[in-house]
Amino acid sequence: MSDETAERIADLIAPLRVRPGSKVDLERDFDPRYKGGLKKRDGAELLRTGVSLLAEYQERLAAQDTYGVVLCLQALDAGGKDGTIRHVMSGVNPQGVRVSSFKVPSSEELDHDYLWRYNQRLPTRGEIAIFNRSHYEEVLVVRVHPENLVRQKLPEGSLGPGVWDRRYREINRWERYLTDNGFKVVKIFLNLSKEEQRTRFLKRIDLPEKNWKFSAADVRERRRWDDYQFAFSEMLSATSTKWAPWYVVPADRKWFARICAAAVLAHTLDEIDPQFPDVGDQARQDLLVTRRALELEAPEGDAADPYAERHPSAGRTGKRHGKSRKKRG
Ligand code: AMP
Ligand code: MG
């Protein structure tokens, strides 16, 4: 991407990043209605730019086959996770993306350590994996409802009041391990206000075609609002790290949330700056010999290389495919 676009994206997301080591109080520090001075009108254009950037980067990521990306999306009910995934990934090649939704753990999953099921869904190199809910549920819903912890069959000595700090530590180390081995962990929390959640719940009840999205459990969880705000604040404080920082995306305006999510992902891919592999000089020479042979097979009167004839600037100069923007110093 151009330096200008890269800077615009960096500026947009800087206020959303949780500084590693800072103590977050969600309500005090992050406004769900913030929109960075943008208007909805300008938003559509920006989202289109973001989506096409992602498509381009994903192609390079897959071709390079070195890095993978895990995008973790967390939010309260009606926070907009599904819509964000739908919009942000709308331009990318489905072969390069895998989306996993994490629900109440199955009995098979409960028979393993708590990170096991997330490990199963990690991307391969070249892939973007999206976690619709993630391992962070293990310090959110499980913390707010400790009966979930009981179901996890932990040995006696692993329970007790230190369990959350230990989980934060384990999660940070796991993400560090993934990062060091080529798998970038990107973390987005869609931050919804209590009033906007009420409005969205009502919409789900009012519109028959939205009824399936609503469950009585959602209002039960809403009653624990303050407990969730606390659990989110603790999680953000303890697990925003240099290698995998949290982004708190204001979620009351869906259009703004989608732009921010696309921007966070584009920023990460820009940092990776994946490149198409260079086949090397010898292989390139071999290709040129093969091209000559194919050209000689052209039927009488046809172009020797129909593709090159239609695209005069392609290939002929010996110049390879364009690389993305040079790294800024
Ligand atoms: P939904 O995403 O609306 O389909 O709901 C999935 C439900 O699974 C949510 O209520 C989550 O809180 C719940 N859930 C996800 N992960 C866990 C977990 N590790 N333990 C208990 N419940 C979970
Ligand atoms: Mg739900």
Side-chain angles (χ1 to χ4, degrees):
M1 69 174 99
S2 71
D3 281 0
E4 199 195 327
T5 310
E7 263 157 46
R8 214 166 149 214
I9 287 177
D11 289 348
L12 178 71
I13 66 173
L16 316 181
R17 190 182 305 117
V18 175
R19 194 163 40 79
S22 62
K23 180 92 186 97
V24 176
D25 176 336
L26 195 51
E27 274 197 58
R28 181 196 63 198
D29 300 336
F30 293 97
D31 175 9
R33 298 189 58 75
Y34 173 80
K35 55 187 169 101
L38 280 182
K39 296 227 166 47
K40 190 172 179 179
R41 229 178 315 116
D42 318 319
E45 172 63 33
L46 206 59
L47 185 60
R48 265 198 303 280
T49 309
V51 165
S52 66
L53 263 175
L54 290 179
E56 186 192 315
Y57 271 122
Q58 185 211 21
E59 207 184 327
R60 291 177 202 273
L61 191 77
Q64 181 175 305
D65 204 18
T66 303
Y67 293 96
V69 175
V70 194
L71 173 63
C72 304
L73 274 177
Q74 285 296 152
L76 282 174
D77 291 305
K81 297 190 301 298
D82 296 330
T84 300
I85 295 172
R86 196 167 62 241
H87 279 80
V88 171
M89 303 316 281
S90 59
V92 305
N93 180 349
Q95 289 212 76
V97 191
R98 71 164 86 179
V99 184
S100 300
S101 299
F102 295 99
K103 315 263 179 192
V104 178
S106 68
S107 56
E108 190 197 10
E109 288 166 346
L110 290 171
D111 267 340
H112 291 270
D113 63 280
Y114 74 95
L115 288 177
W116 179 79
R117 64 172 182 163
Y118 309 99
N119 258 304
Q120 306 282 309
R121 301 308 188 100
L122 288 172
T124 62
R125 299 190 193 282
E127 266 184 346
I128 299 175
I130 300 180
F131 284 3
N132 184 346
R133 302 184 189 272
S134 68
H135 49 294
Y136 284 100
E137 291 293 335
E138 306 294 338
V139 293
L140 292 169
V141 67
V142 180
R143 183 167 190 172
V144 173
H145 299 281
E147 60 273 22
N148 287 306
L149 195 61
V150 175
R151 267 184 230 121
Q152 294 188 351
K153 309 193 212 176
L154 291 164
E156 199 69 47
S158 301
L159 291 162
V163 66
W164 308 118
D165 282 338
R166 199 186 71 234
R167 285 200 168 186
Y168 295 143
R169 222 165 39 237
E170 288 161 350
I171 288 172
N172 285 343
R173 287 192 195 136
W174 183 58
E175 292 178 355
R176 179 62 199 250
Y177 160 82
L178 292 172
T179 310
D180 286 345
N181 285 281
F183 296 92
K184 279 270 196 185
V185 184
V186 187
K187 305 184 305 207
I188 292 179
F189 168 56
L190 297 171
N191 186 28
L192 187 71
S193 72
K194 197 172 183 189
E195 177 53 15
E196 180 61 21
Q197 189 194 50
R198 190 178 75 92
T199 308
R200 290 187 191 175
F201 278 175
L202 284 167
K203 182 176 174 190
R204 289 178 178 188
I205 294 169
D206 292 341
L207 300 176
E209 69 274 20
K210 298 265 181 205
N211 285 176
W212 65 274
K213 276 209 147 197
F214 187 77
S215 85
D218 294 349
V219 260
R220 270 202 305 278
E221 290 307 281
R222 178 176 165 82
R223 287 192 208 116
R224 307 294 301 274
W225 183 270
D226 291 341
D227 298 328
Y228 272 106
Q229 295 299 106
F230 175 75
F232 279 122
S233 299
E234 293 283 292
M235 171 199 84
L236 293 166
S237 307
T239 61
S240 197
T241 53
K242 261 204 321 269
W243 53 93
W246 271 105
Y247 289 89
V248 178
V249 166
D252 274 15
R253 295 178 170 88
K254 288 180 178 174
W255 63 268
F256 188 65
R258 287 164 189 169
I259 291 170
C260 292
V264 168
L265 191 53
H267 179 75
T268 305
L269 288 165
D270 186 52
E271 280 180 337
I272 297 176
D273 198 20
Q275 304 291 335
F276 289 113
D278 198 323
V279 295
D281 288 338
Q282 186 53 54
R284 182 72 193 154
Q285 285 311 314
D286 294 346
L287 286 174
L288 296 179
V289 172
T290 306
R291 174 161 74 193
R292 188 72 204 124
L294 288 169
E295 285 174 344
L296 289 171
E297 287 179 26
E300 189 77 30
D302 282 9
D305 182 344
Y307 179 81
E309 182 146 298
R310 271 179 281 144
H311 306 87
S313 61
R316 284 295 169 190
T317 58
K319 173 178 153 291
R320 315 235 167 93
H321 32 67
K323 291 208 167 181
S324 70
R325 185 173 57 78
K326 281 269 177 315
K327 280 253 181 254
R328 283 156 298 158

